[in-house]
Amino acid sequence: MTQHLSIKAIPILSDNYAWFVHDGATGAAGMIDPAEEAPLVAAIDAAGGRLDMIFLTHHHADHIAAAAALRQRYGARIVGAAADARRLPALDVAVKDGDVVTLGQAQAQVIATPGHTSGEVSYYFPAGPALFCGDTLFSMGCGRLFEGTPADMFTSLQRIATLPDDTLICCGHEYTQSNARFALHVDPDNVAVQARAQQVADLRRRGLATVPVRLGVERATNPFLRAADAPTLARLRKEKDNF
């Protein structure tokens, strides 16, 4: 049977996204990075009131704040990095790099993606194909290096870059328009960057999300994903922090 994963971005807080996913074969439901209870309860209840698993990418409050409440309400199991267990809600499933977590019949491959934080993980569902990468890779950008090094982030982005071009990048924030301005600043002659920036401006003008976005688009337009080495990424990140 061909696996299918349905994916819905739910805007929460000021500029975050939680991601609501369903395994097409079984109806099993998962939520990635839930941080605001009311809009997520509304989405879950509208879809039938089922939540089986909660996937956490990292420990920041704007990614985990509603996890415990949703577990209590729906009986969902919380999945997160074993290495960060002390900074996460109590984990039902503690994972490490290379582990596989099953949602219904859909499998999620755990990829360690430190950089933004030391313990961040991403979840890759081949059934999407989709990658839920928290604050590691953004459309046209990457996360600030709060705990990791430029080398950590470079390695994490290079691992993401090995995934198929049609992988949907499902990140944690709506940062694309500001990221596009920086990408145009550092790569002004890149026709792909120009086209994506125009598309993003149009989407935001209409109040629409700019993600998910295919990894192939990011390869062509994201200066951090295109960085040749860690020192280049470090230079870009420092420049972006002050842009």
Side-chain angles (χ1 to χ4, degrees):
M1 179 184 296
T2 301
Q3 289 187 356
H4 174 70
L5 191 77
S6 67
I7 301 167
K8 180 181 182 180
I10 304 177
I12 56 173
L13 305 175
S14 61
D15 55 25
N16 280 71
Y17 290 116
W19 296 91
F20 193 25
V21 299
H22 286 85
D23 168 45
T26 64
M31 188 73 74
I32 295 90
D33 286 354
E36 188 179 7
E37 188 177 356
L40 302 182
V41 167
I44 295 163
D45 289 352
R50 178 175 179 177
L51 187 65
D52 299 272
M53 301 194 85
I54 295 166
F55 297 85
L56 305 178
T57 62
H58 65 293
H59 69 89
H60 288 160
D62 63 327
H63 292 257
I64 68 172
L70 293 182
R71 170 169 52 193
Q72 183 173 9
R73 187 180 188 108
Y74 298 103
R77 303 171 76 208
I78 296 179
V79 182
D84 245 1
R86 63 187 171 80
R87 303 194 291 185
L88 296 170
L91 297 177
D92 300 293
V93 184
V95 296
K96 63 185 186 305
D97 185 56
D99 284 352
V100 174
V101 181
T102 301
L103 177 70
Q105 292 183 10
Q107 293 188 326
Q109 300 170 9
V110 179
I111 305 172
T113 50
H116 179 64
T117 69
S118 59
E120 184 142 358
V121 295
S122 298
Y123 302 94
Y124 173 62
F125 285 82
L131 179 77
F132 299 91
C133 50
D135 290 359
T136 298
L137 178 68
F138 295 124
S139 184
M140 305 186 86
C142 75
R144 289 178 179 264
L145 303 179
F146 289 129
E147 297 175 7
T149 66
D152 289 335
M153 182 62 83
F154 179 75
T155 299
S156 294
L157 295 183
Q158 289 302 300
R159 292 192 68 186
I160 290 171
T162 67
L163 298 175
D165 265 354
D166 63 343
T167 301
L168 289 168
I169 299 301
C170 303
C171 56
H173 290 271
E174 182 56 71
Y175 286 167
T176 317
Q177 196 158 24
S178 61
N179 288 342
R181 287 193 285 271
F182 180 71
L184 284 168
H185 167 71
V186 298
D187 202 1
D189 299 323
N190 185 322
V191 175
V193 170
Q194 295 168 5
R196 174 67 171 152
Q198 184 60 51
Q199 178 194 44
V200 166
D202 181 58
L203 288 168
R204 295 310 291 158
R205 198 161 39 239
R206 292 185 285 148
L208 300 176
T210 63
V211 290
V213 59
R214 300 288 181 185
L215 180 57
V217 173
E218 290 303 302
R219 288 190 211 282
T221 61
N222 189 319
F224 297 93
L225 198 62
R226 292 162 58 82
D229 49 40
T232 302
L233 187 145
R235 176 180 58 77
L236 287 168
R237 186 64 260 177
K238 185 175 181 180
E239 190 174 350
K240 177 67 162 61
D241 289 345
N242 298 302
F243 183 65

